[in-house]
Structure formats: C-alpha cells, structure tokens
Amino acid sequence: MSDKEEEFKQVKKVKEALNKVSPSFCLAKWIQVTVHLQNGFTHSCHHPTPHKIPLTELSQDPSALHNTVAKKIARQQMKKGERPAECGYCWNVEDAHPDNLSDRVFKSSEKWANPYFEKIKNADPLEPVNPSYLEVSFGNECNFRCGYCSPYVSSAIMAEHVKHGPYSMVGGYGIDQLKESGHYPYGKDEFNPYVEAFWKWWPDLNKDLKVFRITGGEPLLNPNTFQFLEHLKKHPMPDLDLAINSNLGIPEKTLQRFIDDIKFITENKLVKSFQLYTSVDTYGKNAEFIRFGLNYDQYMKNVRHFLREVKDAELIFMCTYNVFSVIHFSKYLEEVTELKLQYLNDKGWTRVHLDTPYLKDPVYLSCYILNEQFWPYIEKDLAYLKQNALTPQGVQLYYDHEIGKFERILNWLKGLSESQHRDGNRILFARFIAEFCKRKEINFEDYCPDYLDFLNYCKSLDSQNT
Ligand code: SF4
C-alpha cells in the first residue's frame, strides 16, 4: 500500500470514529482557534465567521479568548449530533455526497488534533479547554495598504479610511459603523484587554500548544511578537511548531533583530520547527500595485537574507493569486525556482515552498473577472511547474500539492461561464481602480501597463451600463 493510500485509510478511520460520537463531532471546535486580539474576535476553526469575545466573559477567565459561551454551545450541539450553523462550510461538503471527506474529518485527523480524541470525547462540552493549535494576531499595525485588505487588519488602510471613508463603489463600514459593530481595533498605544488576557492565559495555555502561528497586521511591527520571542529564549518549547507571517517590508534593523532571534531559537532547538510565511502575489510592479507599500526587489533581498542566515527554517511564499497575478507570474516563478534550488536542508530537500490560494473576496479583484484571453498565461505557468517539479539531479522542487493547488485555479476559471454577475464585477473593478489610484496618488499605467486593455474593456462595460 502506498503512503497516500495508507493516509487515506487512516482519515477514513477517523471519520468512522468521529461519527460514532456524533455525525457533527469535530475536534477543531475544541482545540483549533484563531484569535484577533486587535478587536477581540475569535473563531474555531477558521471557517466560521469570527464572533466577538464578550469582555464580561474575559474578566472571569482569560481563556474566554477561545472558550466563549457561543463556542461552548456549538461544542454541546456537536456532542448531541446537531450541526452548528456556523460550520456550513463542512455541512455543504458532506451533504454533496455521503462519501465526501470534509475539513471536519481532515482537521480531526491532524497530528495536533487526533491524539486528543478520547480526552475531548469524554470532556464536558461546557468546560473550558486549551487549544493545541493557536493562530493569533496581536494588532493591526501594518505599513502596507493592499488592495484586498481591510482597515481592521491594516493600520495604514485604517488611516486612509479615516481620511477618505469606505470605497464609494462598494460602500462598506465607515468608522462609526466599525465602532458600533465592535470591529474597530485598539490603537498601538492604547490599553487592550484582549492582549492583556492573552499574556494572563499564556502560562496555562503554553503547556498544551503544538502549533502556534502569529499573524497580523504585520507581526514584526508589533512589540508582542518580539516579547514572545524573548520569552521563548528563556522558556524553550521543544514540541512546538512555530510559524510567523511577515510582509518582509519592514525596516532593516527590525528585520535583523527578527533574523537574529530566529537564528538563536532554531540553532538552539528551542522549538521543534520554524516556518516563515511571507506574502507576494506576483512579479515586480504588478506585485507592488496590489500589495501597495511593497518594494519587490528589496523584498526578494530580504527573503534571501533570511534564508542565508537562518539555515534551519522553512519559508513559504503565500501567493494570493488575484487579477494582477497572471501576466508576469512566470518571472516570479523563475525566482521561486532559483530559491528552491539554492536553499536546501541537510537532507537535500528544498526549504522554500509555494502556496497559491486564489483570492475570493473582494470578487472584483479576483481572477473571476478575467476572460479566456488570460488562460494561456496560466497554462504556460502550470506547464512550467510540472516541467520543473524534479531537477535532473533528483531534487524535488515542486510537490504534487503545490502543482495541484495552482492547477485548481485554471480548472476553476475554465469552468466559469459568462454572466451578468461577472460583467457587474468587471464594472466594479474599473471603479475600484480609479478610486484606489486616487487614494494612492499613482497612475495605473506606471504599475500595470499590460492590464490597460483589460481595464479599458471594463470601463467600456461601465459606460454601456450607464
Ligand atoms: S465542522 Fe468544519 S467548519 Fe466546523 S470547526 Fe470543524 S472543520 Fe471547522
């Protein structure tokens, strides 16, 4: 039996075991959590919409960052075989075919989840539990103003939002509404009860943690990230898989401090593994346009600097494939290939990985709006990935899951039909670009000349429409 077949057999066994407890039982509801400390939202797992953590609950127990009453009720429902409505992502998959395996099964099979099966099965669902997988954002400090990001995730976008209000073509929340809905983030120098609760909870929380990922904002601009790294130097966690996201567009001194810390932590084996997740969506000026604030050449220098100095770490390019990723993606892939080949671990495996989820929201910046004239670019890049999967020396550069994820984008695009909805989003695209360039005080042609024809086509749809 191949490894893949064996893995599949194990996952099916987990499905049977889960269903014996109840057909809606899922370990992720107990032990996987993402907490947005900048405004006090939480969700388990990452699929359900985050909900607000009541400060009244937090004042009694800092673990309410994870164990809110709302989550305990969802766990109770799962134990009884009822389906929490917030988990619709999985119910849709399971209802499509009885043999389908949803994330309920995949996540419950993970090494951070499955060993806790019996403990969770026998636990009172209303009792608090510590997560083994925690993702946290300490704040929204960020120096980038990416086209698809939000004010409560980036302080730079928030400043723009304060000045200009929400984008007029799509509406959205103004400052007052952000405040009323509880989404408005705490400021950098403001007392934040959610961050305070995190550090109060930490001495108990860290005993059970297997995976810890720090996101943002830009985590390296938040002092809590460095506070955590300092803490780690004195209190090693040798069973922990640690990951940090970064745009790597930070000041040189901050980057060097980060590199020095991670070098010390990995060389002294203070954690089990370290992964740096870093975002860039395509090559050169197109990348600088959509991730506004990025300096592409400096970014690639910083990537090399990290890989050169920190030898026992992996780097994952998070490429949120969007409307501007397509035309020059081949040049970006050439750089990724070169890096993959240059930075190998002591087993001869590459330390550089590529992840290509495609942008879904906002739809008007997604590849959804492109038409078939763009397919040849993606087909060519897919062929490139396949051709370069294995070097003549036998080094695996692109794994099946990396190629498969990219191929999914092409298959998805080819399966779309033309509709009024797509044209509607093309019109929104044209209007968004006009407002985006005005806010950034830039000319579209200076960044994306190869997309000018497409933009004009979208503008013409808009003028036909009015
Ligand atoms: S049932 Fe699905 S959506 Fe709900 S927590 Fe589990 S994996 Fe996440």
Side-chain angles (χ1 to χ4, degrees), residues 33-38 41 43 46 133-142 152-154 198 212-222 224-225 228 242-247 275-277 279 318:
V33 61
T34 304
V35 192
H36 308 271
L37 295 173
Q38 68 264 41
F41 276 74
H43 45 157
H46 68 284
Y133 188 120
L134 169 67
E135 192 168 299
V136 80
S137 59
F138 286 115
N140 80 328
E141 292 78 28
C142 189
Y152 47 88
V153 182
S154 159
F198 175 85
F212 184 36
R213 182 161 168 179
I214 305 177
T215 68
E218 168 49 46
L220 301 188
L221 295 180
N222 190 300
N224 286 281
T225 304
F228 168 72
L242 175 64
I244 296 182
N245 290 11
S246 174
N247 64 29
Q275 294 183 315
L276 174 63
Y277 284 83
S279 306
M318 285 189 299

mmCIF file of all heavy atoms in Angstrom, residues 33-38 41 43 46 133-142 152-154 198 212-222 224-225 228 242-247 275-277 279 318:
data_model
loop_
_atom_site.group_PDB
_atom_site.id
_atom_site.type_symbol
_atom_site.label_atom_id
_atom_site.label_comp_id
_atom_site.label_asym_id
_atom_site.label_seq_id
_atom_site.Cartn_x
_atom_site.Cartn_y
_atom_site.Cartn_z
ATOM 1 N N VAL A 33 -7.954 27.306 17.136
ATOM 2 C CA VAL A 33 -8.559 28.630 17.266
ATOM 3 C C VAL A 33 -7.720 29.723 16.593
ATOM 4 O O VAL A 33 -6.493 29.649 16.576
ATOM 5 C CB VAL A 33 -8.783 28.991 18.762
ATOM 6 C CG1 VAL A 33 -7.496 29.021 19.548
ATOM 7 C CG2 VAL A 33 -9.508 30.331 18.928
ATOM 8 N N THR A 34 -8.436 30.686 16.035
ATOM 9 C CA THR A 34 -7.803 31.926 15.576
ATOM 10 C C THR A 34 -8.379 33.053 16.422
ATOM 11 O O THR A 34 -9.611 33.163 16.540
ATOM 12 C CB THR A 34 -8.120 32.183 14.081
ATOM 13 O OG1 THR A 34 -7.708 31.051 13.328
ATOM 14 C CG2 THR A 34 -7.400 33.423 13.575
ATOM 15 N N VAL A 35 -7.495 33.849 17.020
ATOM 16 C CA VAL A 35 -7.953 34.964 17.860
ATOM 17 C C VAL A 35 -7.401 36.278 17.301
ATOM 18 O O VAL A 35 -6.192 36.412 17.100
ATOM 19 C CB VAL A 35 -7.481 34.806 19.330
ATOM 20 C CG1 VAL A 35 -8.216 35.820 20.208
ATOM 21 C CG2 VAL A 35 -7.718 33.412 19.862
ATOM 22 N N HIS A 36 -8.315 37.212 17.055
ATOM 23 C CA HIS A 36 -7.926 38.545 16.561
ATOM 24 C C HIS A 36 -7.912 39.483 17.762
ATOM 25 O O HIS A 36 -8.949 40.019 18.153
ATOM 26 C CB HIS A 36 -8.930 39.022 15.502
ATOM 27 C CG HIS A 36 -9.152 38.017 14.395
ATOM 28 N ND1 HIS A 36 -8.387 37.990 13.260
ATOM 29 C CD2 HIS A 36 -10.022 36.987 14.273
ATOM 30 C CE1 HIS A 36 -8.782 36.996 12.477
ATOM 31 N NE2 HIS A 36 -9.779 36.375 13.071
ATOM 32 N N LEU A 37 -6.736 39.645 18.351
ATOM 33 C CA LEU A 37 -6.660 40.415 19.595
ATOM 34 C C LEU A 37 -6.859 41.916 19.354
ATOM 35 O O LEU A 37 -7.201 42.651 20.274
ATOM 36 C CB LEU A 37 -5.314 40.180 20.287
ATOM 37 C CG LEU A 37 -5.064 38.747 20.781
ATOM 38 C CD1 LEU A 37 -3.639 38.591 21.280
ATOM 39 C CD2 LEU A 37 -6.039 38.352 21.878
ATOM 40 N N GLN A 38 -6.639 42.376 18.123
ATOM 41 C CA GLN A 38 -6.756 43.824 17.880
ATOM 42 C C GLN A 38 -8.175 44.336 18.119
ATOM 43 O O GLN A 38 -8.371 45.500 18.436
ATOM 44 C CB GLN A 38 -6.283 44.217 16.462
ATOM 45 C CG GLN A 38 -7.139 43.735 15.314
ATOM 46 C CD GLN A 38 -6.606 42.447 14.736
ATOM 47 O OE1 GLN A 38 -6.187 41.570 15.475
ATOM 48 N NE2 GLN A 38 -6.614 42.318 13.428
ATOM 49 N N PHE A 41 -11.991 39.293 18.435
ATOM 50 C CA PHE A 41 -12.847 38.317 17.754
ATOM 51 C C PHE A 41 -12.169 36.943 17.784
ATOM 52 O O PHE A 41 -10.934 36.858 17.825
ATOM 53 C CB PHE A 41 -13.104 38.742 16.304
ATOM 54 C CG PHE A 41 -14.239 39.728 16.163
ATOM 55 C CD1 PHE A 41 -14.080 41.057 16.544
ATOM 56 C CD2 PHE A 41 -15.473 39.338 15.676
ATOM 57 C CE1 PHE A 41 -15.119 41.975 16.438
ATOM 58 C CE2 PHE A 41 -16.525 40.234 15.561
ATOM 59 C CZ PHE A 41 -16.352 41.560 15.941
ATOM 60 N N HIS A 43 -12.673 32.562 16.403
ATOM 61 C CA HIS A 43 -13.430 31.516 15.699
ATOM 62 C C HIS A 43 -12.683 30.195 15.738
ATOM 63 O O HIS A 43 -11.462 30.154 15.760
ATOM 64 C CB HIS A 43 -13.814 31.872 14.255
ATOM 65 C CG HIS A 43 -12.765 32.489 13.397
ATOM 66 N ND1 HIS A 43 -12.786 32.452 12.029
ATOM 67 C CD2 HIS A 43 -11.643 33.189 13.708
ATOM 68 C CE1 HIS A 43 -11.765 33.100 11.531
ATOM 69 N NE2 HIS A 43 -11.040 33.550 12.531
ATOM 70 N N HIS A 46 -11.058 28.131 11.400
ATOM 71 C CA HIS A 46 -11.003 29.406 10.694
ATOM 72 C C HIS A 46 -12.179 29.586 9.721
ATOM 73 O O HIS A 46 -12.383 30.681 9.211
ATOM 74 C CB HIS A 46 -9.671 29.550 9.941
ATOM 75 C CG HIS A 46 -9.535 28.589 8.799
ATOM 76 N ND1 HIS A 46 -9.257 27.262 8.983
ATOM 77 C CD2 HIS A 46 -9.673 28.761 7.466
ATOM 78 C CE1 HIS A 46 -9.216 26.661 7.811
ATOM 79 N NE2 HIS A 46 -9.459 27.540 6.875
ATOM 80 N N TYR A 133 -3.713 24.095 18.714
ATOM 81 C CA TYR A 133 -3.365 24.854 17.514
ATOM 82 C C TYR A 133 -3.920 26.270 17.683
ATOM 83 O O TYR A 133 -5.134 26.455 17.735
ATOM 84 C CB TYR A 133 -3.993 24.187 16.282
ATOM 85 C CG TYR A 133 -3.562 24.759 14.958
ATOM 86 C CD1 TYR A 133 -2.922 23.963 14.019
ATOM 87 C CD2 TYR A 133 -3.816 26.087 14.627
ATOM 88 C CE1 TYR A 133 -2.534 24.484 12.790
ATOM 89 C CE2 TYR A 133 -3.432 26.612 13.408
ATOM 90 C CZ TYR A 133 -2.791 25.801 12.496
ATOM 91 O OH TYR A 133 -2.411 26.325 11.282
ATOM 92 N N LEU A 134 -3.025 27.236 17.777
ATOM 93 C CA LEU A 134 -3.455 28.618 18.012
ATOM 94 C C LEU A 134 -2.860 29.562 16.973
ATOM 95 O O LEU A 134 -1.656 29.528 16.700
ATOM 96 C CB LEU A 134 -2.984 29.058 19.409
ATOM 97 C CG LEU A 134 -3.110 30.545 19.754
ATOM 98 C CD1 LEU A 134 -4.566 30.986 19.854
ATOM 99 C CD2 LEU A 134 -2.400 30.841 21.078
ATOM 100 N N GLU A 135 -3.749 30.354 16.403
ATOM 101 C CA GLU A 135 -3.293 31.404 15.492
ATOM 102 C C GLU A 135 -3.733 32.726 16.117
ATOM 103 O O GLU A 135 -4.893 32.852 16.519
ATOM 104 C CB GLU A 135 -3.976 31.199 14.144
ATOM 105 C CG GLU A 135 -3.395 32.008 13.039
ATOM 106 C CD GLU A 135 -3.907 31.565 11.678
ATOM 107 O OE1 GLU A 135 -3.680 30.397 11.312
ATOM 108 O OE2 GLU A 135 -4.522 32.382 11.009
ATOM 109 N N VAL A 136 -2.828 33.678 16.204
ATOM 110 C CA VAL A 136 -3.166 34.910 16.898
ATOM 111 C C VAL A 136 -2.634 36.125 16.148
ATOM 112 O O VAL A 136 -1.550 36.073 15.551
ATOM 113 C CB VAL A 136 -2.602 34.836 18.347
ATOM 114 C CG1 VAL A 136 -1.137 35.147 18.419
ATOM 115 C CG2 VAL A 136 -3.346 35.738 19.288
ATOM 116 N N SER A 137 -3.447 37.207 16.119
ATOM 117 C CA SER A 137 -2.894 38.485 15.641
ATOM 118 C C SER A 137 -2.907 39.429 16.833
ATOM 119 O O SER A 137 -3.946 39.624 17.470
ATOM 120 C CB SER A 137 -3.687 39.054 14.468
ATOM 121 O OG SER A 137 -5.020 39.277 14.812
ATOM 122 N N PHE A 138 -1.748 39.979 17.161
ATOM 123 C CA PHE A 138 -1.639 40.845 18.336
ATOM 124 C C PHE A 138 -2.195 42.247 18.058
ATOM 125 O O PHE A 138 -2.580 42.953 18.976
ATOM 126 C CB PHE A 138 -0.176 40.978 18.769
ATOM 127 C CG PHE A 138 0.368 39.744 19.452
ATOM 128 C CD1 PHE A 138 1.385 38.994 18.867
ATOM 129 C CD2 PHE A 138 -0.137 39.343 20.682
ATOM 130 C CE1 PHE A 138 1.892 37.870 19.503
ATOM 131 C CE2 PHE A 138 0.369 38.218 21.322
ATOM 132 C CZ PHE A 138 1.384 37.483 20.729
ATOM 133 N N GLY A 139 -2.177 42.661 16.793
ATOM 134 C CA GLY A 139 -2.628 44.017 16.488
ATOM 135 C C GLY A 139 -2.744 44.213 14.988
ATOM 136 O O GLY A 139 -2.465 43.293 14.203
ATOM 137 N N ASN A 140 -3.173 45.406 14.585
ATOM 138 C CA ASN A 140 -3.342 45.655 13.147
ATOM 139 C C ASN A 140 -2.250 46.566 12.575
ATOM 140 O O ASN A 140 -2.386 47.054 11.453
ATOM 141 C CB ASN A 140 -4.735 46.232 12.854
ATOM 142 C CG ASN A 140 -4.828 47.721 13.153
ATOM 143 O OD1 ASN A 140 -4.165 48.215 14.062
ATOM 144 N ND2 ASN A 140 -5.650 48.436 12.406
ATOM 145 N N GLU A 141 -1.146 46.758 13.348
ATOM 146 C CA GLU A 141 -0.069 47.615 12.821
ATOM 147 C C GLU A 141 0.412 47.039 11.491
ATOM 148 O O GLU A 141 0.798 45.869 11.415
ATOM 149 C CB GLU A 141 1.148 47.648 13.765
ATOM 150 C CG GLU A 141 0.933 48.329 15.072
ATOM 151 C CD GLU A 141 0.176 47.461 16.079
ATOM 152 O OE1 GLU A 141 0.293 46.222 15.984
ATOM 153 O OE2 GLU A 141 -0.530 48.007 16.910
ATOM 154 N N CYS A 142 0.352 47.838 10.467
ATOM 155 C CA CYS A 142 0.879 47.391 9.168
ATOM 156 C C CYS A 142 1.234 48.618 8.342
ATOM 157 O O CYS A 142 0.558 49.643 8.404
ATOM 158 C CB CYS A 142 -0.133 46.523 8.423
ATOM 159 S SG CYS A 142 0.607 45.777 6.958
ATOM 160 N N TYR A 152 -9.438 47.041 9.611
ATOM 161 C CA TYR A 152 -9.162 46.471 10.932
ATOM 162 C C TYR A 152 -8.031 45.456 10.900
ATOM 163 O O TYR A 152 -7.615 44.942 11.936
ATOM 164 C CB TYR A 152 -10.423 45.899 11.612
ATOM 165 C CG TYR A 152 -11.290 45.021 10.766
ATOM 166 C CD1 TYR A 152 -11.062 43.659 10.688
ATOM 167 C CD2 TYR A 152 -12.358 45.559 10.065
ATOM 168 C CE1 TYR A 152 -11.874 42.855 9.903
ATOM 169 C CE2 TYR A 152 -13.169 44.760 9.281
ATOM 170 C CZ TYR A 152 -12.924 43.415 9.210
ATOM 171 O OH TYR A 152 -13.724 42.621 8.427
ATOM 172 N N VAL A 153 -7.492 45.183 9.704
ATOM 173 C CA VAL A 153 -6.316 44.305 9.604
ATOM 174 C C VAL A 153 -5.046 45.131 9.370
ATOM 175 O O VAL A 153 -3.957 44.714 9.751
ATOM 176 C CB VAL A 153 -6.509 43.251 8.484
ATOM 177 C CG1 VAL A 153 -5.325 42.317 8.396
ATOM 178 C CG2 VAL A 153 -7.785 42.435 8.715
ATOM 179 N N SER A 154 -5.180 46.301 8.768
ATOM 180 C CA SER A 154 -4.003 47.136 8.496
ATOM 181 C C SER A 154 -4.215 48.566 9.007
ATOM 182 O O SER A 154 -5.172 49.238 8.600
ATOM 183 C CB SER A 154 -3.715 47.178 6.988
ATOM 184 O OG SER A 154 -2.940 48.311 6.667
ATOM 185 N N PHE A 198 -4.427 37.592 26.889
ATOM 186 C CA PHE A 198 -3.554 36.606 26.250
ATOM 187 C C PHE A 198 -2.357 36.278 27.156
ATOM 188 O O PHE A 198 -2.040 35.113 27.393
ATOM 189 C CB PHE A 198 -3.062 37.118 24.888
ATOM 190 C CG PHE A 198 -2.071 36.191 24.243
ATOM 191 C CD1 PHE A 198 -2.499 35.111 23.490
ATOM 192 C CD2 PHE A 198 -0.699 36.378 24.425
ATOM 193 C CE1 PHE A 198 -1.580 34.228 22.927
ATOM 194 C CE2 PHE A 198 0.222 35.502 23.865
ATOM 195 C CZ PHE A 198 -0.224 34.426 23.110
ATOM 196 N N PHE A 212 1.757 27.085 16.889
ATOM 197 C CA PHE A 212 1.477 28.485 17.215
ATOM 198 C C PHE A 212 1.871 29.337 16.024
ATOM 199 O O PHE A 212 3.026 29.287 15.582
ATOM 200 C CB PHE A 212 2.276 28.897 18.463
ATOM 201 C CG PHE A 212 1.990 30.302 18.938
ATOM 202 C CD1 PHE A 212 0.713 30.852 18.863
ATOM 203 C CD2 PHE A 212 2.997 31.084 19.492
ATOM 204 C CE1 PHE A 212 0.441 32.145 19.310
ATOM 205 C CE2 PHE A 212 2.741 32.372 19.953
ATOM 206 C CZ PHE A 212 1.459 32.906 19.857
ATOM 207 N N ARG A 213 0.888 30.079 15.502
ATOM 208 C CA ARG A 213 1.174 30.924 14.337
ATOM 209 C C ARG A 213 0.780 32.361 14.644
ATOM 210 O O ARG A 213 -0.338 32.616 15.085
ATOM 211 C CB ARG A 213 0.395 30.403 13.128
ATOM 212 C CG ARG A 213 0.664 31.183 11.861
ATOM 213 C CD ARG A 213 0.270 30.380 10.656
ATOM 214 N NE ARG A 213 0.250 31.191 9.463
ATOM 215 C CZ ARG A 213 -0.050 30.734 8.261
ATOM 216 N NH1 ARG A 213 -0.359 29.466 8.106
ATOM 217 N NH2 ARG A 213 -0.050 31.526 7.220
ATOM 218 N N ILE A 214 1.719 33.271 14.429
ATOM 219 C CA ILE A 214 1.458 34.682 14.691
ATOM 220 C C ILE A 214 1.202 35.384 13.356
ATOM 221 O O ILE A 214 2.032 35.338 12.443
ATOM 222 C CB ILE A 214 2.641 35.354 15.424
ATOM 223 C CG1 ILE A 214 2.972 34.578 16.713
ATOM 224 C CG2 ILE A 214 2.320 36.802 15.751
ATOM 225 C CD1 ILE A 214 4.169 35.108 17.479
ATOM 226 N N THR A 215 0.022 36.020 13.268
ATOM 227 C CA THR A 215 -0.324 36.733 12.039
ATOM 228 C C THR A 215 -0.519 38.219 12.374
ATOM 229 O O THR A 215 -0.226 38.648 13.476
ATOM 230 C CB THR A 215 -1.615 36.166 11.409
ATOM 231 O OG1 THR A 215 -2.707 36.485 12.256
ATOM 232 C CG2 THR A 215 -1.548 34.672 11.234
ATOM 233 N N GLY A 216 -1.056 38.979 11.454
ATOM 234 C CA GLY A 216 -1.251 40.402 11.742
ATOM 235 C C GLY A 216 -2.472 40.927 11.029
ATOM 236 O O GLY A 216 -3.378 40.149 10.730
ATOM 237 N N GLY A 217 -2.363 42.211 10.680
ATOM 238 C CA GLY A 217 -1.294 43.187 10.576
ATOM 239 C C GLY A 217 0.055 42.619 10.148
ATOM 240 O O GLY A 217 0.148 41.554 9.586
ATOM 241 N N GLU A 218 1.063 43.409 10.403
ATOM 242 C CA GLU A 218 2.424 42.945 10.184
ATOM 243 C C GLU A 218 2.997 42.608 11.556
ATOM 244 O O GLU A 218 3.320 43.521 12.348
ATOM 245 C CB GLU A 218 3.246 44.034 9.468
ATOM 246 C CG GLU A 218 4.738 43.793 9.443
ATOM 247 C CD GLU A 218 5.128 42.380 8.991
ATOM 248 O OE1 GLU A 218 4.585 41.884 8.000
ATOM 249 O OE2 GLU A 218 5.989 41.772 9.665
ATOM 250 N N PRO A 219 3.126 41.305 11.877
ATOM 251 C CA PRO A 219 3.530 40.896 13.220
ATOM 252 C C PRO A 219 4.863 41.481 13.678
ATOM 253 O O PRO A 219 5.066 41.713 14.865
ATOM 254 C CB PRO A 219 3.628 39.383 13.117
ATOM 255 C CG PRO A 219 2.804 39.013 11.955
ATOM 256 C CD PRO A 219 2.856 40.163 11.000
ATOM 257 N N LEU A 220 5.784 41.739 12.715
ATOM 258 C CA LEU A 220 7.109 42.209 13.134
ATOM 259 C C LEU A 220 7.101 43.702 13.473
ATOM 260 O O LEU A 220 8.111 44.242 13.924
ATOM 261 C CB LEU A 220 8.157 41.892 12.067
ATOM 262 C CG LEU A 220 8.291 40.395 11.733
ATOM 263 C CD1 LEU A 220 9.479 40.150 10.826
ATOM 264 C CD2 LEU A 220 8.401 39.535 12.979
ATOM 265 N N LEU A 221 5.966 44.357 13.291
ATOM 266 C CA LEU A 221 5.848 45.745 13.735
ATOM 267 C C LEU A 221 5.135 45.821 15.085
ATOM 268 O O LEU A 221 4.878 46.907 15.604
ATOM 269 C CB LEU A 221 5.078 46.584 12.700
ATOM 270 C CG LEU A 221 5.773 46.753 11.342
ATOM 271 C CD1 LEU A 221 4.904 47.591 10.408
ATOM 272 C CD2 LEU A 221 7.145 47.410 11.498
ATOM 273 N N ASN A 222 4.804 44.649 15.636
ATOM 274 C CA ASN A 222 4.086 44.631 16.925
ATOM 275 C C ASN A 222 5.026 44.145 18.025
ATOM 276 O O ASN A 222 5.602 43.049 17.916
ATOM 277 C CB ASN A 222 2.869 43.712 16.823
ATOM 278 C CG ASN A 222 1.968 43.840 18.032
ATOM 279 O OD1 ASN A 222 2.382 43.594 19.155
ATOM 280 N ND2 ASN A 222 0.749 44.274 17.808
ATOM 281 N N ASN A 224 4.578 42.778 20.800
ATOM 282 C CA ASN A 224 4.221 41.491 21.425
ATOM 283 C C ASN A 224 4.917 40.309 20.752
ATOM 284 O O ASN A 224 5.196 39.293 21.389
ATOM 285 C CB ASN A 224 2.709 41.280 21.400
ATOM 286 C CG ASN A 224 2.007 42.151 22.409
ATOM 287 O OD1 ASN A 224 1.988 41.839 23.597
ATOM 288 N ND2 ASN A 224 1.458 43.262 21.938
ATOM 289 N N THR A 225 5.155 40.418 19.445
ATOM 290 C CA THR A 225 5.834 39.325 18.730
ATOM 291 C C THR A 225 7.245 39.148 19.298
ATOM 292 O O THR A 225 7.681 38.025 19.597
ATOM 293 C CB THR A 225 5.899 39.636 17.214
ATOM 294 O OG1 THR A 225 4.573 39.860 16.764
ATOM 295 C CG2 THR A 225 6.527 38.490 16.432
ATOM 296 N N PHE A 228 7.229 37.746 22.739
ATOM 297 C CA PHE A 228 7.080 36.294 22.716
ATOM 298 C C PHE A 228 8.415 35.607 22.396
ATOM 299 O O PHE A 228 8.800 34.625 23.045
ATOM 300 C CB PHE A 228 6.010 35.877 21.691
ATOM 301 C CG PHE A 228 6.026 34.399 21.431
ATOM 302 C CD1 PHE A 228 5.566 33.510 22.402
ATOM 303 C CD2 PHE A 228 6.550 33.882 20.254
ATOM 304 C CE1 PHE A 228 5.625 32.138 22.202
ATOM 305 C CE2 PHE A 228 6.621 32.514 20.043
ATOM 306 C CZ PHE A 228 6.153 31.641 21.014
ATOM 307 N N LEU A 242 6.407 26.421 15.336
ATOM 308 C CA LEU A 242 6.163 27.866 15.377
ATOM 309 C C LEU A 242 6.167 28.441 13.961
ATOM 310 O O LEU A 242 7.021 28.079 13.144
ATOM 311 C CB LEU A 242 7.268 28.539 16.207
ATOM 312 C CG LEU A 242 7.243 30.065 16.272
ATOM 313 C CD1 LEU A 242 5.991 30.581 16.971
ATOM 314 C CD2 LEU A 242 8.500 30.599 16.986
ATOM 315 N N ALA A 243 5.205 29.321 13.710
ATOM 316 C CA ALA A 243 5.151 29.983 12.391
ATOM 317 C C ALA A 243 4.831 31.458 12.588
ATOM 318 O O ALA A 243 4.069 31.814 13.487
ATOM 319 C CB ALA A 243 4.085 29.332 11.523
ATOM 320 N N ILE A 244 5.462 32.287 11.768
ATOM 321 C CA ILE A 244 5.170 33.732 11.809
ATOM 322 C C ILE A 244 4.955 34.215 10.377
ATOM 323 O O ILE A 244 5.667 33.810 9.455
ATOM 324 C CB ILE A 244 6.333 34.510 12.486
ATOM 325 C CG1 ILE A 244 6.451 34.072 13.966
ATOM 326 C CG2 ILE A 244 6.116 36.021 12.384
ATOM 327 C CD1 ILE A 244 7.513 34.793 14.773
ATOM 328 N N ASN A 245 3.934 35.054 10.211
ATOM 329 C CA ASN A 245 3.693 35.682 8.904
ATOM 330 C C ASN A 245 4.451 37.007 8.856
ATOM 331 O O ASN A 245 4.529 37.699 9.880
ATOM 332 C CB ASN A 245 2.219 36.053 8.741
ATOM 333 C CG ASN A 245 1.314 34.856 8.580
ATOM 334 O OD1 ASN A 245 1.716 33.718 8.777
ATOM 335 N ND2 ASN A 245 0.073 35.124 8.237
ATOM 336 N N SER A 246 4.949 37.364 7.698
ATOM 337 C CA SER A 246 5.525 38.703 7.569
ATOM 338 C C SER A 246 5.478 39.179 6.124
ATOM 339 O O SER A 246 5.648 38.377 5.200
ATOM 340 C CB SER A 246 6.975 38.719 8.051
ATOM 341 O OG SER A 246 7.537 40.002 7.790
ATOM 342 N N ASN A 247 5.292 40.482 5.946
ATOM 343 C CA ASN A 247 5.368 41.032 4.582
ATOM 344 C C ASN A 247 6.827 41.298 4.193
ATOM 345 O O ASN A 247 7.113 41.645 3.053
ATOM 346 C CB ASN A 247 4.503 42.297 4.431
ATOM 347 C CG ASN A 247 4.951 43.470 5.300
ATOM 348 O OD1 ASN A 247 6.138 43.606 5.627
ATOM 349 N ND2 ASN A 247 4.018 44.345 5.650
ATOM 350 N N GLN A 275 8.619 28.102 10.695
ATOM 351 C CA GLN A 275 8.235 28.419 9.316
ATOM 352 C C GLN A 275 7.921 29.910 9.197
ATOM 353 O O GLN A 275 7.177 30.445 10.023
ATOM 354 C CB GLN A 275 6.981 27.640 8.913
ATOM 355 C CG GLN A 275 7.214 26.138 8.861
ATOM 356 C CD GLN A 275 5.982 25.391 8.386
ATOM 357 O OE1 GLN A 275 4.889 25.678 8.841
ATOM 358 N NE2 GLN A 275 6.173 24.452 7.480
ATOM 359 N N LEU A 276 8.500 30.537 8.201
ATOM 360 C CA LEU A 276 8.178 31.932 7.895
ATOM 361 C C LEU A 276 7.229 31.957 6.694
ATOM 362 O O LEU A 276 7.574 31.458 5.618
ATOM 363 C CB LEU A 276 9.459 32.713 7.567
ATOM 364 C CG LEU A 276 9.262 34.156 7.095
ATOM 365 C CD1 LEU A 276 8.622 35.018 8.180
ATOM 366 C CD2 LEU A 276 10.597 34.771 6.674
ATOM 367 N N TYR A 277 6.032 32.496 6.910
ATOM 368 C CA TYR A 277 5.063 32.648 5.821
ATOM 369 C C TYR A 277 5.159 34.085 5.327
ATOM 370 O O TYR A 277 4.980 35.017 6.105
ATOM 371 C CB TYR A 277 3.639 32.384 6.321
ATOM 372 C CG TYR A 277 3.332 30.917 6.520
ATOM 373 C CD1 TYR A 277 3.703 30.258 7.684
ATOM 374 C CD2 TYR A 277 2.675 30.189 5.535
ATOM 375 C CE1 TYR A 277 3.427 28.911 7.868
ATOM 376 C CE2 TYR A 277 2.390 28.843 5.708
ATOM 377 C CZ TYR A 277 2.766 28.221 6.874
ATOM 378 O OH TYR A 277 2.489 26.881 7.047
ATOM 379 N N SER A 279 4.189 36.993 2.149
ATOM 380 C CA SER A 279 3.234 37.204 1.049
ATOM 381 C C SER A 279 3.809 38.012 -0.096
ATOM 382 O O SER A 279 4.371 39.088 0.118
ATOM 383 C CB SER A 279 2.017 37.975 1.564
ATOM 384 O OG SER A 279 1.463 37.324 2.660
ATOM 385 N N MET A 318 3.334 32.866 0.334
ATOM 386 C CA MET A 318 1.878 32.846 0.274
ATOM 387 C C MET A 318 1.473 33.756 -0.869
ATOM 388 O O MET A 318 1.604 34.978 -0.769
ATOM 389 C CB MET A 318 1.271 33.389 1.571
ATOM 390 C CG MET A 318 1.339 32.437 2.725
ATOM 391 S SD MET A 318 0.361 33.075 4.094
ATOM 392 C CE MET A 318 1.176 34.616 4.444
#
